[in-house]
Amino acid sequence: MTLKIHIDDSAAPYEQIRAQISEQARAGVLPVGYRLPTVRGLAESLGLAANTVAKAYRALEADGVIETRGRNGTFVAAAGSAAEREASLAAQVYAEKVRRLGLTEGDAVAAVRDALRAAYGEG
C-alpha cells in the first residue's frame, strides 16, 4: 500500500488517507481481505499523529471500505459492494420520494443528472 500525504494540499491529512485507501480498495490495488497497517504503524510511516490515522480509519469503516476485527487487525472489506448497496438504497429512497411528490420519471432523472453534474464538478 502506497500513500502520499501532501501537507500543502487543501484536504486535511486524514481525508487524504481516507480518499487514497478508498480509491485503492475500489480499484482493486488493495484487494478484499488485505490487512492494513496498525493505526500507530501507519501514523509513524507517514509522520502523522495516530489520531489522524484513527480518524481516517473510522471514516473508512463507516463507509464500509474497511472492517476492524478486534485484535486481529483492520482489513479491506468488500468496498465496491458496500458502496453499491448504499447507492442502491439511496436511489430507492429518492425514487419513492419523487413518486410521492408527483414528479414524472423524466423530471426525476433530470434532477439526478443535475445533482451528479454539480457533485462531480461538470458544467
Side-chain angles (χ1 to χ4, degrees):
M1 176 174 80
T2 304
L3 300 177
K4 294 181 182 171
I5 305 302
H6 302 283
I7 301 303
D8 58 343
D9 195 315
S10 63
Y14 89 90
E15 176 58 28
Q16 292 179 51
I17 294 168
R18 188 209 57 77
Q20 290 177 46
I21 291 175
S22 183
E23 178 55 35
Q24 289 179 29
R26 192 173 0 273
V29 174
L30 298 176
V32 172
Y34 178 86
R35 185 175 184 174
L36 295 170
T38 63
V39 167
R40 184 176 290 144
L42 184 57
E44 287 175 8
S45 71
L46 295 174
L48 297 171
N51 285 341
T52 300
V53 175
K55 185 174 182 179
Y57 275 21
R58 283 191 302 274
L60 287 162
E61 191 158 25
D63 291 345
V65 176
I66 65 173
E67 59 186 8
T68 301
R69 300 179 190 161
R71 302 183 100 194
N72 293 321
T74 303
F75 299 83
V76 173
S81 61
E84 289 165 6
R85 281 192 309 271
E86 191 170 333
S88 178
L89 177 61
Q92 289 171 356
V93 169
Y94 174 75
E96 291 169 7
K97 179 145 189 160
V98 296
R99 184 182 50 76
R100 281 193 312 272
L101 292 171
L103 270 68
T104 66
E105 184 178 336
D107 289 341
V109 170
V112 169
R113 282 192 191 112
D114 290 345
L116 288 171
R117 283 187 195 110
Y120 286 92
E122 298 172 11

